[in-house]
């Protein structure tokens, strides 16, 4: 799999936006003290549940693949020409 440009920054922003979505959806709350693995899994599962992203195969559900899915999700939400896309 080819790595996205700015994937780490996209993931960081996806976690921030995902936490806001989680709270607005009243599905829970993410604290800054929560481990990143928990944040990634929680946001990933909510987006899959809401049909905003396609789920990974059960054998492929691991942290690196979930991170990539979240980064891809955010990259598709950003407007063309956004600084994280270049």
């Amino acid at each position: 799999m080819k790595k996205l440009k700015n994937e780490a920054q996209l993931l960081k922003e996806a976690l921030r936006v995902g936490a806001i979505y989680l709270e607005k959806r009243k599905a829970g709350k993410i604290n800054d003290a929560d481990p990143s693995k928990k944040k990634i899994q929680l946001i990933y599962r909510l987006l899959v549940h809401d049909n905003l992203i396609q789920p990974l195969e059960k054998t492929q559900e691991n942290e690196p693949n979930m991170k990539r899915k979240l980064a891809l999700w955010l990259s598709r939400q950003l407007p063309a020409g956004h600084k994280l896309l270049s």
Side-chain angles (χ1 to χ4, degrees), residues 30-85:
I30 292 179
N31 297 319
D32 291 335
D34 289 338
S36 65
K37 185 174 183 176
K38 180 181 175 185
K39 294 176 190 178
I40 290 165
Q41 287 180 347
L42 189 58
I43 294 169
Y44 167 78
R45 294 193 193 292
L46 179 65
L47 294 175
V48 167
H49 179 268
D50 290 350
N51 293 322
L52 296 176
I53 60 174
Q54 278 200 324
L56 293 163
E57 292 180 28
K58 293 293 180 190
T59 59
Q60 297 294 315
E61 266 191 15
N62 56 41
E63 189 175 2
N65 287 341
M66 287 183 194
K67 285 180 177 181
R68 182 161 175 83
K69 277 286 202 179
L70 292 177
L72 284 169
W73 166 72
L74 184 70
S75 71
R76 292 182 181 125
Q77 305 304 313
L78 296 174
H82 191 277
K83 67 179 181 176
L84 288 177
L85 298 177

Side-chain angles (χ1 to χ4, degrees), residues 20-31:
I20 294 168
Y21 177 72
L22 187 79
E23 287 182 31
K24 285 187 177 183
R25 176 94 165 40
K26 299 188 190 309
K29 187 171 183 170
I30 292 179
N31 297 319

